[in-house]
């Protein structure tokens, strides 16, 4: 991975900012909030279903709100945007700490999901592809390690802190830590951002901001929504968040149906995290060499074959294969998705465009657990659902392949690029 070193030496400040945004967004991610679910349900007196309903409703409301707020990163100074999101996310932590009923719980989850999973996550990915257009893949990979690192270390820290402080004071701690760390890092890492942004706008105006294989036209959101290729690519880009969320939300049922040991299953998350991190770095090199558009038809296939492994056997080896293949898909997806939209549609209105795609993704992740829950209640086997997931990935990959073939034909021959 020596090809990463020139980028790190040259742009370590901006990379650290992107990493901070993706890491900090963890406070609004499902896995982080879910660690407090038992204490919250016991305190307020909610069943699993009631808490899940409140969470899904808040997540859907967050997605709808993102259609309006997603374009803020296109219009605000990046430093002001980061400060505002950090303050808002910290406020969400304080709201969660003070939750005493359903209404306040809904508002707290809405704030955490919208500002964490939505706006802060968007800041990291958008900044990388907007200002580092020559290294979009590698920059996205480095920034995306923030997700993997947070998933690896925060659960243990959260559980330990809850044992010491309790769940309410823990939320206050995390909110204060975020409020101190993010503005400080933003101030020092983006102290020369005005000059960088002016150069970016100048390059867009002269058409010099597009490297080989990258769209020079700056599409608006309305134009993207009228583009037929967008709808051919979208199912493949939704496959990983849709299927990952659905099967992970019901992972206890999966483990029970397969008669696996839950502790052994949980230990595989280390394998998943390592695989995902390695594939992010590989994907960064691949994207910068051959472009993100070519990779989209392939990103969901490993997950599909992982689901096939689950459907074929009850042996625990299927769990190992599934976790490894899921890590491959997640690693490539997280690195490919933002450069893809930049390559296809430009970066000037990227926040506005990604607000639509993020809305679609969040909607899918909110609906899939409920839909799979209904199927489980109706007696549909986990094997049948896994085969259905495989069928979805194959169909989505085929549609994206058609769109990618058309795109390549309009730009340049395949496999012509540079490291």
């Amino acid at each position: 991975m020596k090809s990463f070193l020139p980028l790190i030496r040259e742009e370590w400040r901006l990379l650290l900012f992107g990493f901070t945004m993706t890491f900090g967004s963890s406070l609004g991610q499902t896995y982080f909030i879910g660690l407090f679910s038992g204490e919250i349900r016991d305190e307020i007196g909610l069943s699993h279903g009631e808490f899940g309903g409140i969470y899904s409703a808040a997540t859907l409301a967050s997605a709808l709100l993102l259609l309006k707020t997603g374009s803020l990163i296109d219009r605000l100074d990046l430093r002001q945007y980061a400060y505002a999101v950090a303050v808002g996310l910290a406020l969400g932590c304080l709201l969660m700490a003070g939750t005493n009923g359903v209404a306040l719980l809904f508002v707290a989850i809405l704030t955490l999901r919208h500002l964490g999973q939505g706006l802060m996550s968007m800041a990291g990915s958008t900044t990388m592809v907007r200002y580092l257009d020559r290294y979009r893949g590698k920059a996205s990979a480095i920034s995306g390690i923030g997700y993997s690192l947070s998933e690896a270390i925060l659960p243990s820290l959260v559980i330990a802190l809850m044992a010491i402080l309790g769940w309410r004071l823990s939320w206050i701690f995390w909110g204060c830590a975020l409020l101190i760390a993010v503005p400080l890092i933003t101030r020092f890492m983006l102290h020369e951002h005005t000059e960088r942004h002016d150069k970016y706008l100048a390059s867009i105006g002269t058409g010099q901001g597009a490297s080989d294989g990258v769209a020079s036209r700056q599409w608006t959101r309305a134009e993207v929504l009228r583009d037929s290729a967008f709808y051919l690519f979208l199912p493949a880009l939704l496959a990983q968040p849709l299927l990952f969320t659905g099967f992970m939300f019901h992972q206890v049922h999966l483990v029970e149906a397969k008669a696996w040991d839950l502790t052994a299953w949980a230990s595989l998350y280390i394998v998943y995290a390592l695989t995902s991190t390695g594939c992010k770095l590989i994907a960064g090199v691949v994207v910068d060499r051959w472009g993100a558009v070519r990779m989209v038809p392939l990103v969901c296939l490993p997950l599909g074959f992982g689901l096939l492994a689950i459907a074929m056997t009850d042996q625990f080896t299927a769990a190992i294969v599934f976790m490894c293949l899921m890590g491959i898909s997640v690693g490539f997806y997280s690195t490919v998705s933002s450069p893809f939209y930049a390559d296809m549609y430009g970066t000037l209105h990227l926040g506005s465009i990604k607000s639509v795609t993020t809305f679609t993704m969040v909607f899918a992740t909110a609906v899939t657990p409920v839909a799979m829950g209904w199927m489980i209640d109706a007696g549909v086997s986990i094997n049948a659902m896994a085969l259905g997931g495989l069928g979805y990935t194959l169909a989505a990959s085929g549609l994206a392949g058609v769109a990618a073939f058309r795109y390549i034909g309009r730009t340049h021959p395949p496999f012509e690029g540079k490291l």
Side-chain angles (χ1 to χ4, degrees), residues 89-146:
L89 189 54
L91 176 61
C93 294
L94 298 181
L95 289 173
M96 185 64 84
T99 293
N100 56 7
V102 171
L104 189 55
L105 176 62
F106 175 86
V107 174
I109 294 175
L110 170 61
T111 304
L112 291 170
R113 296 289 281 162
H114 184 67
L115 293 166
Q117 184 203 35
L119 297 183
M120 185 166 281
S121 180
M122 185 180 293
S125 60
T126 301
T127 300
M128 295 300 97
V129 298
R130 175 170 284 165
Y131 299 110
L132 302 176
D133 63 294
R134 291 174 52 209
Y135 305 102
R136 284 174 177 169
K138 298 184 185 73
S140 296
I142 294 172
S143 172
I145 292 176

Side-chain angles (χ1 to χ4, degrees), residues 219-228 230-231 356:
W219 295 58
T220 65
R221 182 165 68 181
E223 290 172 331
V224 171
L225 292 176
R226 292 193 296 268
D227 180 29
S228 60
F230 172 75
Y231 299 98
V356 175

Side-chain angles (χ1 to χ4, degrees), residues 275-305:
T275 304
S276 175
T277 300
C279 287
K280 286 177 183 179
L281 298 176
I282 295 172
V285 176
V286 172
V287 166
D288 286 343
R289 182 178 178 85
W290 291 309
V293 176
R294 294 187 178 93
M295 304 308 300
V296 173
L298 305 177
V299 293
C300 62
L301 289 180
L303 177 57
F305 291 126

Side-chain angles (χ1 to χ4, degrees), residues 336-365:
V336 166
S337 56
S338 290
F340 162 78
Y341 292 113
D343 285 2
M344 284 288 293
Y345 303 118
T347 58
L348 188 60
H349 306 290
L350 189 58
S352 179
I353 294 168
K354 289 194 68 178
S355 69
V356 175
T357 61
T358 304
F359 162 78
T360 309
M361 182 269 290
V362 173
F363 181 83
T365 59

Side-chain angles (χ1 to χ4, degrees), residues 398-409:
L399 291 174
V402 172
F405 181 79
R406 293 176 180 174
Y407 170 85
I408 293 169

Side-chain angles (χ1 to χ4, degrees), residues 36 85 87 168 215 252 290 307 356 383:
F36 296 87
V85 171
V87 171
R168 291 185 185 275
V252 173
W290 291 309
L307 292 172
V356 175
N383 291 344

